[in-house]
Amino acid sequence: MPKMKAAIFVEPGRIVLDEKPIPDIGPLDALVRITTTTICGTDVHILKGEYPVARGLTIGHEPVGIIEKLGSAVTGYREGQRVIAGAITPSGYSYACLCGCGSQDGAGTKHGFKATGGWKFGNTIDGTQAEYVRVPDALANLSPIPDGLTDEEVLMCPDIMSTGFSGAESGAVQIGDTVVVFALGPIGLCAVAGAKLKGATTIIGVDTVPKRLEIARQLGANHIVDFKNGDVVEQIMALTDGRGVDVAIEALGTQATFEAALRVLRPGGTLSSLGVYSSDLTIPLSAFSAGLGDNKIITTLCPGGKERMRRLMDVIASGRVDLKPLVTHRFKLDDIEAAYDLFSHQRDGVLKVAITP
Ligand SMILES: NC(=O)c1ccc[n+]([C@@H]2O[C@H](COP(=O)([O-])OP(=O)(O)OC[C@H]3O[C@@H](n4cnc5c(N)ncnc54)[C@H](O)[C@@H]3O)[C@@H](O)[C@H]2O)c1
Ligand SMILES: [Zn+2]
């Protein structure tokens, strides 16, 4: 059986490069040869054992590649075509998909969570940090890359851009809105860009890392709050003349940021949560106006599927948003363990790494 290299979860603290058989495909699948992939903050949760996956699973959920082989029922594509697929690969025909919520496709009971069924790569099936990946339900998920776009230009589409933008979309940002984004990692930075595209005119970014603050400004933040520099809630209330914000986007997944996001909402404002949380949240009565604040709290798992990918690549092709500054480091797949080390310790100003097999 022909083999390939793949980054495999061994146990908490250990993701290693190893050999595995090249995946077999069924009639509805495609085999994609990965040309570029990357590491997500969520992969770091997996590495640390904070988000459990099966031992031996190939990690990674951000594929850019070339169709190597198509399942017998997959029409409308050709082998050799450059494609991406979303981090989330909805089937298109499940109950959740037909309810309009493909990210929860086949919503299962993994680890007692009732959600995340649509997130399969590097979660419930082998992922993309490998030479090849099997893409399930290829007809719903393969999205051809427009001519003229490089791998790195579309590398953020499968997850980071889709998730970040969804923070603004799920929060229903309106023209003229004031939006705050808590945490300016790759997800929060894309949330800033998404809020701007949706029409927010005041965008406040909260973080402390100078390079991230600078890129947030490039992508549309007009105020910066350094969370190491005094009370964040007070600063945001002062910036909004005491009104609070229309939409607070949480892009970290901690009690502190969730709670601050709740405390800075205007009456009737929306908390749009993107973070992956690793422990139970509590909602203090005062932050929650005892349940009488007319606030909305909404969570979003990265939207996937080929139409979402087509739209995001169209945004890139249109030149409306330039996410190239997010790719700060490049590694060969052979060196992925070093890439994990750099990325998980956020050394050397890293934002996203491009990994090429
Ligand atoms: N909802 C989804 O579908 C989805 C998809 C991908 C990632 N995620 C999650 O999104 C979150 C962000 O991922 P990322 O890769 O952008 O993050 P990251 O780890 O690269 O960055 C986190 C940032 O948070 C900043 N920070 C730390 N404490 C802070 C505080 N108190 N206030 C404000 N900022 C603070 C850090 O300085 C850092 O810049 C993670 O929890 C990740 O798992 C969710
Ligand atoms: Zn991710």
Side-chain angles (χ1 to χ4, degrees), residues 33-352:
R33 178 165 65 80
I34 296 292
T35 50
T36 308
T37 186
T38 177
I39 302 175
C40 175
T42 306
D43 299 330
V44 176
H45 289 300
I46 292 173
L47 174 66
K48 291 179 178 166
E50 293 167 353
Y51 184 91
V53 300
R55 287 167 194 241
L57 190 79
T58 303
I59 305 308
H61 49 260
E62 296 162 280
V64 180
I66 293 173
I67 298 175
E68 180 82 10
K69 198 170 160 194
L70 291 166
S72 57
V74 182
T75 56
Y77 298 92
R78 56 179 172 76
E79 285 163 15
Q81 200 169 13
R82 290 178 69 223
V83 289
I84 63 171
I88 307 299
T89 48
S91 64
Y93 51 75
S94 67
Y95 169 67
C97 287
L98 295 172
C99 289
C101 198
S103 297
Q104 309 300 335
D105 182 36
T109 52
K110 184 177 192 278
H111 317 298
F113 304 157
K114 71 178 189 316
T116 75
W119 171 31
K120 299 167 193 170
F121 289 140
N123 180 25
T124 53
I125 67 173
D126 277 334
T128 62
Q129 289 163 10
E131 289 176 283
Y132 295 90
V133 69
R134 175 181 73 87
V135 178
D137 299 301
L139 281 170
N141 287 298
L142 290 180
S143 197
I145 301 172
D147 288 341
L149 292 187
T150 64
D151 278 19
E152 283 193 13
E153 282 174 310
V154 299
L155 183 59
M156 298 304 122
C157 296
D159 182 357
I160 302 307
M161 183 184 182
S162 189
T163 302
F165 278 21
S166 77
E169 293 167 297
S170 296
V173 171
Q174 306 288 308
I175 294 171
D177 268 359
T178 296
V179 175
V180 62
V181 179
F182 286 92
L184 301 171
I187 300 283
L189 288 170
C190 286
V192 167
K196 183 176 175 199
L197 279 176
K198 288 277 287 171
T201 39
T202 303
I203 302 176
I204 305 166
V206 186
D207 205 301
T208 193
V209 181
K211 183 71 188 162
R212 294 179 174 210
L213 301 179
E214 180 193 323
I215 296 179
R217 284 200 188 273
Q218 284 170 25
L219 291 172
N222 29 27
H223 299 282
I224 292 297
V225 169
D226 184 334
F227 69 85
K228 291 204 173 146
N229 220 346
D231 187 297
V232 171
V233 173
E234 271 173 23
Q235 291 182 66
I236 294 165
M237 294 313 283
L239 282 168
T240 59
D241 291 329
R243 287 190 306 273
V245 304
D246 300 288
V247 181
I249 299 175
E250 199 289 341
L252 184 62
T254 65
Q255 173 71 31
T257 43
F258 182 87
E259 195 176 317
L262 210 46
R263 289 187 190 277
V264 297
L265 293 180
R266 68 154 165 84
T270 301
L271 191 174
S272 178
S273 170
L274 295 174
V276 175
Y277 298 85
S278 308
S279 58
D280 289 346
L281 285 172
T282 54
I283 301 187
L285 278 185
S286 60
F288 191 49
S289 305
L292 303 175
D294 286 326
N295 294 127
K296 291 172 275 297
I297 299 177
I298 184 158
T299 67
T300 314
L301 173 59
C302 173
K306 69 180 178 186
E307 172 58 8
R308 174 71 171 178
M309 293 304 116
R310 184 195 69 74
R311 285 170 179 258
L312 295 178
M313 289 191 286
D314 211 39
V315 173
I316 300 286
S318 75
R320 296 273 190 104
V321 176
D322 179 11
L323 298 177
K324 284 198 291 290
L326 266 55
V327 181
T328 53
H329 293 73
R330 290 157 188 88
F331 287 87
K332 291 279 164 207
L333 180 62
D334 285 337
D335 300 322
I336 194 160
E337 292 170 34
Y340 264 101
D341 189 49
L342 175 95
F343 185 77
S344 64
H345 293 98
Q346 294 188 356
R347 274 203 301 272
D348 196 22
V350 66
L351 269 166
K352 287 291 274 185

